[in-house]
């Protein structure tokens, strides 16, 4: 599979100060319908934190789908981790997807797998050995407070518990970019704060975070977070930070 | 090839033509009979599975027969509690007594069934399904490759096919041995020389393996074909 994919030397993007994602005049339409997303141009840098807001139907989920490579744009170009994701051969996309953590709005847990196995899934897909992943998954279970439910199937978990499992699954591989669709929609305010703090912790380690939400009050929870607002498929930029981003965070060795 | 049947009479006389004499027509008759039975059974099962299959496979009704109403209710509650703890069960729904009586009325008559008539307690149970396509899609979105997904489902299908093949082989072996024993007891002459050779067992044992290989191939093609429709 990888033989035809462009080889990029592994250098943390944060050190190179390269963009994680660049959208250049991107449009998306489904079939022959009108464009769901129109003329999107923005850049996301390593270590940035973005809240994506907008009314229902504004195109938030469609934009997230482009970000987690479920779709290619109908026009324009998307560069991701230094690759042209708009034209990269299909067989090369799994390598990029493993660098992205996704929290789906409907959780998408595998129904016949236990909580433990659902959280371990990205690590297993990435080829991590069983002996190496057990401790990591156990720590994550403890963090989300579901150690006692490690063997439970999703159908027996509450909505909030399922959401925590979905988030744990998205972050366990320490992704370079985290994309979350309404990740705090089913949890109580205390758990919502804890989950946002988890995102913030990852963000401080260099993970770029994009959180789609209706709740603009969440913006106050994360220092330095930027807002991307979608209105009828077009992106407005109230903080002015997307076209003129602040200086990216630089880690020093 | 069919023209070969149209031989002139003088040629046909060269080799005497039997009228169901000798073992060959009988052996072929038995083979064809069994083949047609298997084919008909397979087609019937496939049609049944196609028409009602999924609901049938995903729902059963537990019947509790107990004449004492109190004990019957207690047993129903215990069964419901136990089933609800199982991960593989999606829904457990006790059927109300009034509904059970309504079901029986067409057979027993209206007003005949009162509280003293013991009717069974019923509990509807729906099994949780294993949505293959959904699992494939989730793996795909997490960076799973087509081959990774295909391998998983190949393995699952292979195990199912192997288990089914072993069961089928055991049943077939039992029938072959039983029928073989009956033939051996038949008056010599009619089926003289017709016996199941020892190497035949090796040939038959290969059939479940061939079925397993075919099932794996089909699973691989199906999964990869489904994934190719995604980005």
């Amino acid at each position: 599979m990888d033989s035809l994919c462009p080889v990029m030397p592994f250098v943390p993007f944060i050190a190179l100060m390269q963009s994680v994602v660049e959208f250049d005049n991107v449009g998306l339409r489904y079939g022959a319908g009108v464009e769901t997303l129109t003329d999107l141009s923005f850049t996301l840098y390593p270590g940035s934190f973005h809240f994506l807001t907008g009314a229902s139907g504004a195109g938030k989920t469609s934009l997230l789908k482009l970000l987690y490579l479920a779709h290619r744009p109908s026009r324009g170009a998307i560069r991701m981790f230094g690759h042209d994701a708009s034209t990269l051969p299909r067989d090369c996309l799994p390598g990029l997807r493993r660098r992205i953590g996704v929290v789906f709005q409907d959780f998408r847990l595998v129904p016949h797998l236990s909580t433990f196995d659902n959280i371990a899934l990205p690590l297993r897909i990435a080829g991590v050995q069983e002996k190496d992943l057990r401790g990591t998954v156990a720590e994550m279970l403890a963090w989300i407070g579901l150690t006692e439910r490690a063997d439970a199937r999703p159908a027996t978990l509450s909505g909030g518990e399922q959401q925590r499992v979905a988030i744990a699954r998205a972050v366990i591989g320490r992704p370079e970019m985290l994309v979350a669709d309404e990740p705090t929609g089913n949890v109580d305010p205390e758990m919502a704060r804890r989950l946002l703090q988890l995102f913030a912790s990852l963000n401080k380690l260099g993970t770029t975070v994009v959180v789609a939400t209706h709740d603009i009050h969440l913006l106050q929870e994360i220092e330095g977070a930027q807002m991307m607002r979608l209105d009828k498929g077009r992106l407005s930029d109230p903080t002015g930070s997307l076209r003129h981003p602040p200086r990216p965070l630089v880690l020093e060795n | 090839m069919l023209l070969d049947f149209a031989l002139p009479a003088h040629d046909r006389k060269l080799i005497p033509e039997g009228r169901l004499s000798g073992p060959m027509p009988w052996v072929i008759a038995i083979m064809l009979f069994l083949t047609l039975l298997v084919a008909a059974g397979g087609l019937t099962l496939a049609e049944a599975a196609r028409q009602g299959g999924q609901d049938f496979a995903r729902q059963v009704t537990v019947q509790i027969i107990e004449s004492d109403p109190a004990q019957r209710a207690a047993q129903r509650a215990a069964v419901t509690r136990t089933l609800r703890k199982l991960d593989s069960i999606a829904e457990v729904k006790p059927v109300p007594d009034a509904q059970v009586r309504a079901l029986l009325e067409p057979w027993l008559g209206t007003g005949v069934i009162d509280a003293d008539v013991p009717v069974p307690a019923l509990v509807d149970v729906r099994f949780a399904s294993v949505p293959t396509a959904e699992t494939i899609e989730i793996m795909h979105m997490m960076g799973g490759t087509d081959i990774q997904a295909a391998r998983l489902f190949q393995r699952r299908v292979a195990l199912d096919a192997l288990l089914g093949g072993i069961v089928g082989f055991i049943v077939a072996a039992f029938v072959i041995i039983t029928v073989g024993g009956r033939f051996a007891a038949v008056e010599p002459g009619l089926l003289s020389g017709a016996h199941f050779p020892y190497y035949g067992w090796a040939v038959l044992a290969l059939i479940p393996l061939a079925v397993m290989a075919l099932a794996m191939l089909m699973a691989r093609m199906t999964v990869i074909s489904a994934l190719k429709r995604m980005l």
Side-chain angles (χ1 to χ4, degrees), chain B residues 47-87:
Chain B
E47 182 64 11
R50 190 185 67 79
Q51 287 191 352
Q54 291 195 335
D55 287 342
F56 174 75
R58 289 180 189 165
Q59 181 173 351
V60 297
T61 301
V62 177
Q63 180 179 252
I64 300 162
I65 300 173
E66 168 60 53
S67 56
D68 181 352
Q71 279 201 23
R72 190 167 64 233
Q75 286 179 17
R76 179 171 60 187
V79 164
T80 303
R81 273 197 307 274
T82 305
L83 288 172
R84 280 183 175 152
K85 287 178 187 167
L86 300 178
D87 292 332

Side-chain angles (χ1 to χ4, degrees), chain A residues 90 97-98 108 125 169, chain B residues 142-143 146 148 227 231:
Chain A
R90 183 182 171 279
R97 289 195 183 106
R98 289 179 193 182
R108 298 220 189 164
I125 286 173
R169 184 182 66 181
Chain B
M142 289 182 183
D146 294 0
Q148 274 180 317
L227 283 167
L231 175 59

Side-chain angles (χ1 to χ4, degrees), chain A residues 3-244:
Chain A
S3 59
L4 296 174
C5 301
V7 177
M8 294 288 287
F10 181 75
V11 178
F13 280 87
I14 197 160
L16 290 173
M17 287 195 293
Q18 289 186 347
S19 62
V20 173
V21 175
E22 283 177 56
F23 273 47
D24 183 13
N25 206 29
V26 166
L28 175 69
R29 73 172 74 237
Y30 296 103
V34 295
E35 279 197 332
T36 307
L37 298 173
T38 303
D39 298 337
L40 301 188
S41 295
F42 61 87
T43 303
L44 304 181
Y45 283 97
S48 56
F49 199 120
H50 306 270
F51 284 106
L52 176 61
T53 65
S56 293
K60 296 193 296 294
T61 300
S62 293
L63 175 51
L64 294 186
K65 283 181 176 175
L66 289 177
L67 283 172
Y68 62 74
L69 299 172
H71 291 304
R72 289 194 204 267
S74 309
R75 62 181 175 84
I78 298 177
R79 285 192 71 75
M80 196 171 283
F81 307 120
H83 297 277
D84 184 349
S86 331
T87 57
L88 201 64
R90 183 182 171 279
D91 286 349
C92 302
L93 295 177
L96 294 189
R97 289 195 183 106
R98 289 179 193 182
R99 300 163 74 171
I100 304 168
V102 186
V103 182
F104 298 100
Q105 190 171 17
D106 54 355
F107 317 140
R108 298 220 189 164
L109 302 178
V110 181
H112 57 279
L113 291 186
S114 67
T115 300
F116 185 100
D117 289 331
N118 264 292
I119 294 174
L121 190 59
L123 300 181
R124 288 185 172 134
I125 286 173
V128 176
Q129 296 294 311
E130 285 299 304
K131 61 181 171 53
D132 297 328
L133 66 79
R134 295 211 158 268
T136 312
V137 177
E139 277 176 26
M140 188 57 75
L141 275 167
W143 200 90
I144 59 171
L146 290 177
T147 301
E148 303 299 318
R149 309 300 315 271
D151 296 326
R153 301 290 188 275
T156 65
L157 300 175
S158 69
E161 288 172 333
Q162 289 185 40
Q163 192 150 31
R164 280 140 68 190
V165 175
I167 289 169
R169 184 182 66 181
V171 302
I172 195 162
R174 290 276 303 278
E176 289 169 61
M177 180 167 68
L178 177 69
V179 178
D181 198 353
E182 298 284 356
T184 56
N186 285 283
V187 295
D188 60 65
E190 174 56 27
M191 181 50 72
R193 266 194 296 277
R194 287 186 62 193
L195 293 174
L196 279 177
Q197 288 312 312
L198 172 64
F199 292 172
S201 304
L202 275 172
N203 178 240
K204 282 177 183 159
L205 292 171
T207 298
T208 302
V209 180
V210 180
V211 175
T213 181
H214 282 100
D215 185 0
I216 57 171
H217 297 103
L218 291 177
L219 194 64
Q220 299 161 0
E221 299 282 337
I222 305 292
E223 191 181 344
Q226 298 157 21
M227 186 161 80
M228 302 164 70
R229 182 176 166 74
L230 271 173
D231 185 15
K232 294 179 183 170
R234 290 178 182 274
L235 194 62
S236 62
D237 183 8
T239 62
S241 57
L242 295 172
R243 287 181 184 276
H244 307 289

Side-chain angles (χ1 to χ4, degrees), chain B residues 11-75:
Chain B
D11 282 351
R12 293 201 301 266
K13 287 179 186 168
L14 292 174
I15 294 179
E17 293 174 352
R19 295 285 185 271
L20 295 180
S21 61
M24 185 61 76
W26 293 104
V27 170
I28 290 175
I30 292 167
M31 283 171 59
L32 196 65
F33 168 70
L34 292 175
T35 305
L36 291 179
L37 274 186
V38 170
L43 289 169
T44 306
L45 278 176
E47 182 64 11
R50 190 185 67 79
Q51 287 191 352
Q54 291 195 335
D55 287 342
F56 174 75
R58 289 180 189 165
Q59 181 173 351
V60 297
T61 301
V62 177
Q63 180 179 252
I64 300 162
I65 300 173
E66 168 60 53
S67 56
D68 181 352
Q71 279 201 23
R72 190 167 64 233
Q75 286 179 17

